[in-house]
Amino acid sequence: MAKTILITGASSGIGRATAVYFAERGWNVAATMREPVKADSVLQHPQISILALDVTNADSIAQAIAATLTRYKKIDVLLNNAGYGLFGPIEAIDGQQIQQQFATNLFGLIGVTQQILPVMRGSGEGLILNVSSIIGRMALPYASSYIATKFAVEGLSESMRYELEPFNIRVKMIEPGSINTEFGKGSKQMAVSDPYRASMAKFLAVFTKSNAAGAKPEEVAKVIYRAANDSSNRLRYLAKPGPFFWMNRFLPDAVWRQLLVKAMVK
């Protein structure tokens, strides 16, 4: 019997590529997004069901899970992928922007997970895959709100895996580096303040160049597929993390900070 994965944020980028990759390998895929009418034609596949799901709306989450169960009877894997980036100096970002960032990237992930866990406990098994980022383990300038959500996802995932182990529900994280996808091109909000304008322009130039050389969504989809089929209790799966990640991991903090400031700030 084919396994079933429910994917949030499947309209573009990593979510869309993952939906196609799993479907082509015989999985049943519930590809969810806020506006199914805008679904890419690549998602028109016999193994894929396109469903409406807004991670910030509890009723929408419940309806998408119910529709998936009606069609496929079981949900083996949840891929919490929905999210976007909010960039800018913290001084320039208003409270509403920060609240919406957390509502989507963190509270939405929690909301979907909370509603799917009873389903998995009833099945006696399950896997939660949370899309984090290398910046869930390291910080960059001008992305403080976005990075805060990813740090939170890391801590949440580590804690949940202990809680869920008795129910045979595993938790894993996917940590991509730079991504050559719509996220870097348009799936973000920007706040700019005059005192930071020149410095942020330097950061954005490095960020844009890094994204252009980053992993394609299909490469990340392969890592997600490997994680979904890995029966071990491994927690983290890197997806083309890039040189900044490794410098952060192995250089002394003072050296790392000096290099980062020179590259991205001053």
Side-chain angles (χ1 to χ4, degrees), residues 78-80 109 126-134 136-137 150-165 169-176 223-224 226-239 245 249:
L78 165 64
L79 177 65
N80 281 311
L109 180 152
L127 173 61
I128 308 294
L129 291 176
N130 293 329
V131 177
S132 179
S133 169
I134 60 166
R137 287 200 274 167
K150 293 303 183 181
F151 266 67
V153 167
E154 293 272 333
L156 175 76
S157 301
E158 286 205 36
S159 182
M160 283 198 310
R161 68 171 174 165
Y162 298 117
E163 300 172 8
L164 300 177
E165 186 174 4
I169 299 172
R170 291 171 298 132
V171 179
K172 296 176 180 289
M173 283 183 285
I174 311 300
E175 297 177 326
V223 175
I224 293 170
R226 186 169 74 246
N229 288 281
D230 182 354
S231 61
S232 76
N233 288 318
R234 178 178 172 184
L235 179 63
R236 292 179 170 90
Y237 296 76
L238 289 165
F245 176 79
R249 297 288 286 174

Side-chain angles (χ1 to χ4, degrees), residues 80-103:
N80 281 311
N81 168 72
Y84 69 96
L86 174 59
F87 294 87
I90 194 65
E91 183 180 348
I93 300 172
D94 65 45
Q96 183 59 42
Q97 287 178 303
I98 294 173
Q99 288 178 20
Q100 186 58 45
Q101 175 83 120
F102 274 79

Side-chain angles (χ1 to χ4, degrees), residues 3-4 74-78 116-117 119-129 164-165 167-172 228 230 232-233:
K3 288 188 174 182
T4 298
K74 186 181 180 184
I75 300 173
D76 299 282
V77 179
L78 165 64
I116 215 161
L117 284 177
V119 175
M120 290 183 170
R121 282 193 295 102
S123 298
E125 62 181 348
L127 173 61
I128 308 294
L129 291 176
L164 300 177
E165 186 174 4
F167 305 105
N168 199 29
I169 299 172
R170 291 171 298 132
V171 179
K172 296 176 180 289
D230 182 354
S232 76
N233 288 318

Side-chain angles (χ1 to χ4, degrees), residues 55 58 61 65 80 106-116:
V55 299
I61 295 169
I65 292 174
N80 281 311
L106 177 62
F107 303 143
L109 180 152
I110 293 172
V112 177
T113 301
Q114 286 178 323
Q115 291 205 42
I116 215 161

